[in-house]
Amino acid sequence: MNQIINKCFTYLLVFQVILFVSCSDKNTNSTNSEEDFSIAPAGFFPIPFPRDNPYNSAKEKLGRYLFFDKIFSHDLSLACASCHKPQFAFAGNVPNPMGANNISITRNALSLVNVAYRKKLGWDGIEKSLEEIIYGDFESPIFFNNDTNVILKRLEQHSFYPKMFEEAFGQGTKPYPFLAAKALATFVRTLVSGNSPYDKFLRGDSNALTPKQKLGMQIFYSERGNCFKCHNGFLFTDENFHNTGTTTHYFDRGRFHITGKLSDRNKFKTPSLRNIQLTAPYLHDGTYFTLEEIIENYNRGGYPFFNKDTLMKPLNLTKDEQDALISFLKALTDWEFINSRRFNTFGY
């Protein structure tokens, strides 16, 4: 059995190394330069900016400033960064963040890191562009609860935003809210994280992972641990929807809200595991506050639920094996990205 597990792990690791090498041939930079934040880390595919909203550095800078500004909020109390905080890998740090008018948002704020590569967004897989979602948030009663005409006036009267809009979109361009959404989407797409100890290990640094983390990685990619079935690829997500039996009752119907199919009831999108050490609390409702709770639930096979994924079976990992698995998950933290000067100068 151990030989089969090791063989499976080896095949998976070789596949990911090939991916990293092939992509690195196109781009050898492991971190973004200060001039061009559209450059993906080595081993990542190029960031897919849409044709109707291509990257330029002035647009990224404008979007970065707007992301941390409370100018969109009707009462000037909230910014995008209020729910998506840099120090928590652009996720939240509470189960249910507070939106406009102190309305509690029912879902945990997902990390925005590497969101550029995702086609379906949010916990239930909304098939809209970042631009559409951001623009809708301006008037959403639970997010910014504002009027786009009010936002336009605020931007026009601002001391430096009018000039930044012209630099980003062309001479004579007014600071229209739909352009603000484009700038914000451009910035968000540059939030690419791929320089964790795990990434360095794949690039050839055999000392980037500790022996305990290497054991955890072997468990992660084995049929016994079974983690890789849902958390795969360079994003560590299959981009699919599952119910993993995290509770015996679900008030949120998840993917069912999008498709209306009973088979999708209470299923939620597989979140990325990158920077998972920093994105607690976990799950769509922030039920679990520690990685230990998550692994314990999966180790026992999850709670019984009619729509629970068939992959959910008891793992029977020992305490030491669970600790090793958690140690590996922490090796997915990209501290260089988290501590980037791009983000920590805004005070969030």
Side-chain angles (χ1 to χ4, degrees):
M1 176 61 73
N2 286 336
Q3 289 180 340
I4 295 174
I5 289 175
N6 290 336
K7 192 174 183 180
C8 176
F9 164 72
T10 301
Y11 285 155
L12 285 162
L13 187 58
V14 167
F15 172 78
Q16 288 209 332
V17 169
I18 291 173
L19 171 64
F20 269 69
V21 171
S22 64
C23 292
S24 298
D25 286 343
K26 299 176 183 178
N27 179 7
T28 57
N29 293 324
S30 61
T31 57
N32 295 334
S33 69
E34 292 185 2
E35 294 77 23
D36 187 354
F37 296 109
S38 69
I39 300 174
F44 274 40
F45 295 111
I47 302 173
F49 292 94
R51 290 184 178 180
D52 62 349
N53 191 23
Y55 172 87
N56 70 57
S57 59
K59 195 189 300 180
E60 181 277 330
K61 182 179 180 180
L62 171 61
R64 188 182 351 144
Y65 274 68
L66 293 174
F67 188 90
F68 294 94
D69 201 322
K70 299 177 181 179
I71 197 168
F72 301 111
S73 174
H74 80 289
D75 60 359
L76 301 173
S77 64
L78 295 171
C80 301
S82 298
C83 293
H84 298 282
K85 302 178 180 180
Q87 66 268 41
F88 302 115
F90 288 88
N93 63 327
V94 294
N96 306 111
M98 299 301 293
N101 300 315
N102 291 321
I103 296 175
S104 178
I105 299 172
T106 58
R107 288 180 178 173
N108 183 17
L110 273 168
S111 170
L112 295 179
V113 173
N114 298 330
V115 74
Y117 297 99
R118 301 172 191 168
K119 295 181 179 179
K120 297 176 182 178
L121 303 175
W123 285 107
D124 52 15
I126 301 171
E127 296 183 57
K128 292 183 178 180
S129 68
L130 280 172
E131 288 82 357
E132 290 178 278
I133 292 173
I134 293 168
Y135 188 76
D137 287 349
F138 293 159
E139 293 189 324
S140 169
I142 63 172
F143 291 115
F144 293 123
N145 191 35
N146 209 340
D147 186 301
T148 52
N149 292 309
V150 173
I151 294 173
L152 174 58
K153 289 182 180 178
R154 288 181 181 177
L155 292 171
E156 285 180 320
Q157 295 169 3
H158 196 272
S159 60
F160 56 78
Y161 280 140
K163 181 180 179 182
M164 291 184 73
F165 271 85
E166 289 190 340
E167 292 172 344
F169 295 101
Q171 192 68 31
T173 302
K174 289 188 176 182
Y176 293 115
F178 82 91
L179 293 178
K182 283 193 168 188
L184 282 162
T186 298
F187 167 67
V188 169
R189 288 190 178 98
T190 68
L191 300 178
V192 178
S193 170
N195 203 31
S196 67
Y198 167 79
D199 297 305
K200 295 173 182 177
F201 175 79
L202 286 187
R203 293 179 191 131
D205 183 355
S206 59
N207 295 319
L209 298 180
T210 67
K212 186 175 182 179
Q213 289 169 337
K214 290 177 183 177
L215 172 61
M217 180 171 62
Q218 183 172 346
I219 295 169
F220 184 95
Y221 285 112
S222 72
E223 291 291 340
R224 184 167 174 230
N226 225 23
C227 311
F228 72 96
K229 291 288 181 65
C230 296
H231 296 284
N232 50 48
F234 73 104
L235 295 180
F236 283 87
T237 170
D238 62 359
E239 294 285 274
N240 214 328
F241 304 87
H242 305 273
N243 181 288
T244 54
T246 54
T247 183
T248 56
H249 59 277
Y250 290 81
F251 299 108
D252 189 333
R253 296 186 178 185
R255 180 66 173 165
F256 177 84
H257 289 299
I258 304 297
T259 67
K261 297 178 180 179
L262 185 62
S263 58
D264 285 330
R265 186 170 176 178
N266 308 112
K267 290 185 177 181
F268 299 88
K269 190 175 180 181
T270 305
S272 172
L273 295 182
R274 286 190 173 274
N275 302 297
I276 192 69
Q277 176 183 3
L278 305 175
T279 60
Y282 303 108
L283 309 179
H284 68 281
D285 55 359
T287 299
Y288 294 163
F289 282 81
T290 67
L291 290 173
E292 284 76 8
E293 290 176 284
I294 292 281
I295 299 303
E296 182 183 348
N297 176 67
Y298 290 167
N299 196 45
R300 64 170 175 262
Y303 290 104
F305 188 75
F306 82 95
N307 234 8
K308 187 172 72 171
D309 199 291
T310 56
L311 289 170
M312 290 298 299
K313 297 176 182 178
L315 304 178
N316 300 314
L317 300 177
T318 67
K319 182 64 169 59
D320 286 344
E321 289 173 325
Q322 291 179 59
D323 289 344
L325 183 55
I326 290 170
S327 183
F328 169 64
L329 294 178
K330 291 180 178 179
L332 302 179
T333 305
D334 182 353
W335 289 108
E336 292 179 32
F337 171 82
I338 298 299
N339 295 323
S340 171
R341 291 179 58 191
R342 272 211 296 165
F343 319 134
N344 62 25
T345 56
F346 289 92
Y348 274 85

